[in-house]
Amino acid sequence: MTEDRARGCDHLAGCHSGAVPAHASATVGARFWLLIEHTGPWESHLPDCDLPEDVHALIGRATELGVRPQLIRRPGRRTATAIPRHVMVADTTARVPWAAEGRFEDVRDLDLGSLVRGVVPESCILVKEPVFLVCTHAKRNACCARLGLPLARVLGESQPGRVWETTHVGGDRYAANLVCLPHGLYYGSMSQAAAIAAANAYRRGEVVLDRFRGRAGIPEPSQAAEHFVRAHTGELSVGGVAVESTRSDGDVTEAIVRHGDVRFRVVVERTVFAPCGMACAETIMTYRRAALELLQCGTPALT
């Protein structure tokens, strides 16, 4: 761990406390996921990791296809990576999101083409339980290890067999980061108690709005619009709101959001979050609600 990475964790301490708005910050380019079990060590970037040739080849193929590759390992004591190698895949924005897993002597046998077509690859079986990922990628950012490692251990005790440490998921400033698959729900700045509450809510088919970053694989303005409708209506079910259409002009986006049998017109604006006294070197962008109104039945969607 370098001095810069260690110092960076304290430097961004305000960002990890929940004081920075987290909504609409889930990773946009993460509709499809590839999780490869590898106990480590993990370098700062996956191509630099000491991995077998077949694993590097699969990661390269995933990147070409727009699939997000992640290394995963169980919280706690490290053991040797087993062969056949354990792999999971997920489609987070399918009509019914799903995750599946398989074991491969050579992971190049995994058909990623099926994944991007929304089909469970051969030699994989559907995973019936949620999958929880906690970023603990120390060589990417010190905060992810300092805050993520103890959270992963505690959450693993609460959700036995369902929790994995993982490499960079995006948004180091929000460490500790939690991702709930198969829906790709992102949470940030998580305490251990908040993580347990979010995991329990997800098992019930719900979200917790506090420190909810959004849903991976959809544009940030749409994440923001969904967030503001949830906050306005109190709707917490995972599928309870959905953006039907959007129209953007610069930093302003108008969205039509469905909530049950009604629809809302939501206008969100990208803006800078700059609280007095916050010591973050990076500019922090967020979204504010410019307008929210209930539409009459029969109002056409945006074109």
Side-chain angles (χ1 to χ4, degrees):
M1 181 183 302
T2 68
E3 182 181 354
D4 287 343
R5 284 199 298 269
R7 184 168 57 240
C9 197
D10 292 334
H11 182 60
L12 295 174
C15 299
H16 302 304
S17 67
V20 173
H23 65 271
S25 65
T27 300
V28 173
R31 172 176 177 176
F32 303 107
W33 292 68
L34 167 66
L35 313 178
I36 305 170
E37 186 171 358
H38 180 74
T39 58
W42 298 341
E43 300 302 326
S44 60
H45 292 80
L46 298 192
D48 299 326
C49 291
D50 183 13
L51 298 169
E53 179 183 347
D54 64 324
V55 176
H56 274 301
L58 183 65
I59 290 173
R61 174 67 172 154
T63 302
E64 291 174 358
L65 291 174
V67 177
R68 184 177 184 90
Q70 301 281 141
L71 299 181
I72 59 172
R73 61 192 179 201
R74 289 297 188 189
R77 188 175 65 181
R78 304 285 175 257
T79 57
T81 300
I83 302 295
R85 189 177 294 270
H86 180 220
V87 175
M88 287 191 282
V89 292
D91 182 351
T92 65
T93 56
R95 187 178 63 83
V96 179
W98 55 266
E101 63 183 347
R103 296 187 179 274
F104 297 85
E105 295 286 348
D106 186 326
V107 295
R108 285 172 293 196
D109 293 334
L110 174 64
D111 181 11
L112 290 178
S114 292
L115 171 62
V116 298
R117 293 192 301 271
V119 178
V120 177
E122 290 187 11
S123 303
C124 290
I125 59 173
L126 288 172
V127 175
K128 296 181 180 180
E129 293 290 324
V131 176
F132 300 105
L133 306 178
V134 179
C135 181
T136 61
H137 201 168
K139 289 192 176 180
R140 190 64 177 256
N141 187 286
C143 303
C144 295
R146 183 173 71 84
L147 302 174
L149 283 168
L151 187 147
R153 286 194 294 268
V154 170
L155 188 59
E157 294 170 359
S158 172
Q159 305 287 337
R162 307 316 314 158
V163 178
W164 299 87
E165 296 180 16
T166 193
T167 47
H168 178 66
V169 296
D172 295 333
R173 66 162 60 100
Y174 301 109
N177 280 300
L178 170 67
V179 180
C180 307
L181 294 176
H183 286 82
L185 307 184
Y186 267 62
Y187 289 90
S189 307
M190 296 297 276
S191 66
Q192 295 173 12
I196 292 172
N200 287 335
Y202 186 54
R203 294 184 72 95
R204 298 192 303 269
E206 297 179 346
V207 302
V208 176
L209 276 188
D210 181 37
R211 309 190 187 193
F212 180 49
R213 293 181 55 191
R215 183 170 172 179
I218 64 175
E220 290 178 353
S222 295
Q223 295 180 40
E226 287 190 4
H227 174 88
F228 291 127
V229 170
R230 288 187 183 278
H232 178 75
T233 63
E235 178 62 67
L236 297 179
S237 65
V238 171
V241 299
V243 172
E244 293 186 340
S245 57
T246 61
R247 180 170 57 203
S248 296
D249 182 7
D251 288 335
V252 177
T253 297
E254 180 182 7
I256 302 300
V257 182
R258 174 188 53 78
H259 170 236
D261 295 330
V262 301
R263 298 154 82 200
F264 289 88
R265 171 183 173 269
V266 187
V267 180
V268 299
E269 181 181 12
R270 193 167 188 259
T271 186
V272 176
F273 177 77
C276 180
M278 180 66 73
C280 282
E282 301 175 77
T283 298
I284 301 172
M285 303 303 298
T286 188
Y287 287 84
R288 73 175 188 90
R289 189 185 84 178
L292 190 154
E293 61 179 343
L294 179 65
L295 295 178
Q296 298 296 323
C297 293
T299 303
L302 300 172
T303 59

